[in-house]
Amino acid sequence: MSVFFTDNTLSLALREKTKSIHDRTDHKIMSMGIFSSLDGYRIFLLSQYVFLRDMTNIYENETLRNLLPDLETRNRFPWVEADMRDLGLAAPMAHRGNVIPFNPSVAVGWLYVAEGSKLGANILSKMAMSLGLTESFGARHLAPAPEGRGLSWKTFKAAIDSADLDRAICVSAAEEAFARFSSCLDQMAALNSEEIFSASQDERVSL
């Protein structure tokens, strides 16, 4: 069945079509009490690690850099790794490869979720501060882009709105990305403390 779009731009279509799953994901984060304690924040940080780890190839893709020249600098994965070192967390074993089959429309759907989450990070960073974390310790990946969250988001939207992409594929991929992050939260919450804190290479959790 084809998807009928009445929205004028891709970014508006993505916002409208993913609103339900986006709201469910936000509600899940809050209902889990993720930012009520350091233990909860560790679950969130590990979830970010797995989610952004799987997107590394997207941020490094040469084709997509033609669409977004600053794409590589938008990748928060290195900051997530630094935050994990601050908190003494072991990294889940990284399985490299084409975790997300590459297609420009698929990639943009995933990027929409990752880049859009930076807007919500404005609130999350303040909540992290109440746990004793800062943009230079433990919560680096929640810091705004140098140009500011608003301008960074506007630049991203303008780029994807001007690109020749398949809207239905973009929306489907964005929904998959939201579902993937929700799954990451469940998986990380299921780990016990011995699996979460720093361990040797042989003891790392495989995901």
Side-chain angles (χ1 to χ4, degrees):
M1 179 181 296
S2 62
V3 180
F4 179 70
F5 293 98
T6 58
D7 308 273
N8 293 326
T9 65
L10 173 59
S11 60
L12 284 173
L14 281 162
R15 184 179 69 180
E16 178 64 25
K17 300 298 181 182
T18 63
K19 184 180 186 304
S20 178
I21 192 169
H22 188 173
D23 289 346
R24 291 199 303 272
T25 303
D26 286 347
H27 177 74
K28 183 171 195 170
I29 291 172
M30 294 304 153
S31 66
M32 291 175 69
I34 291 294
F35 285 83
S36 63
S37 68
L38 277 175
D39 284 343
Y41 179 78
R42 292 182 184 105
I43 292 171
F44 176 78
L45 185 57
L46 286 169
S47 300
Q48 290 279 52
Y49 175 92
V50 176
F51 181 78
L52 291 173
R53 175 201 71 191
D54 293 351
M55 292 186 63
T56 297
N57 290 343
I58 290 178
Y59 279 100
E60 296 174 349
N61 186 270
E62 292 289 347
T63 300
L64 290 176
R65 286 183 193 172
N66 294 327
L67 176 64
L68 280 164
D70 67 342
L71 182 61
E72 190 170 11
T73 64
R74 288 174 173 269
N75 187 5
R76 290 176 293 167
F77 186 63
W79 304 122
V80 169
E81 291 184 300
D83 289 338
M84 289 175 62
R85 288 193 295 271
D86 289 341
L87 300 183
L89 297 181
M93 187 179 297
H95 294 296
R96 294 300 176 185
N98 295 324
V99 179
I100 304 169
F102 183 76
N103 170 292
S105 297
V106 170
V108 165
W110 280 75
L111 285 171
Y112 173 83
V113 175
E115 292 299 305
S117 70
K118 295 176 182 178
L119 295 176
N122 184 44
I123 296 174
L124 300 184
S125 64
K126 292 180 174 63
M127 297 173 72
M129 288 178 63
S130 70
L131 300 175
L133 306 174
T134 69
E135 293 177 357
S136 59
F137 180 86
R140 292 176 174 86
H141 78 286
L142 297 177
E147 68 272 28
R149 299 185 196 276
L151 181 56
S152 176
W153 179 237
K154 288 179 181 178
T155 300
F156 174 76
K157 289 197 300 179
I160 67 173
D161 286 344
S162 64
D164 183 17
L165 298 165
D166 186 310
R167 291 193 180 190
I169 291 177
C170 287
V171 168
S172 178
E175 290 175 334
E176 289 175 1
F178 277 117
R180 171 60 171 163
F181 188 71
S182 180
S183 174
C184 289
L185 288 171
D186 290 336
Q187 292 173 346
M188 294 301 100
L191 299 180
N192 61 45
S193 60
E194 291 181 359
E195 292 172 311
I196 287 178
F197 287 101
S198 293
S200 68
Q201 293 283 343
D202 292 337
E203 293 171 333
R204 289 184 179 180
V205 179
S206 176
L207 290 172

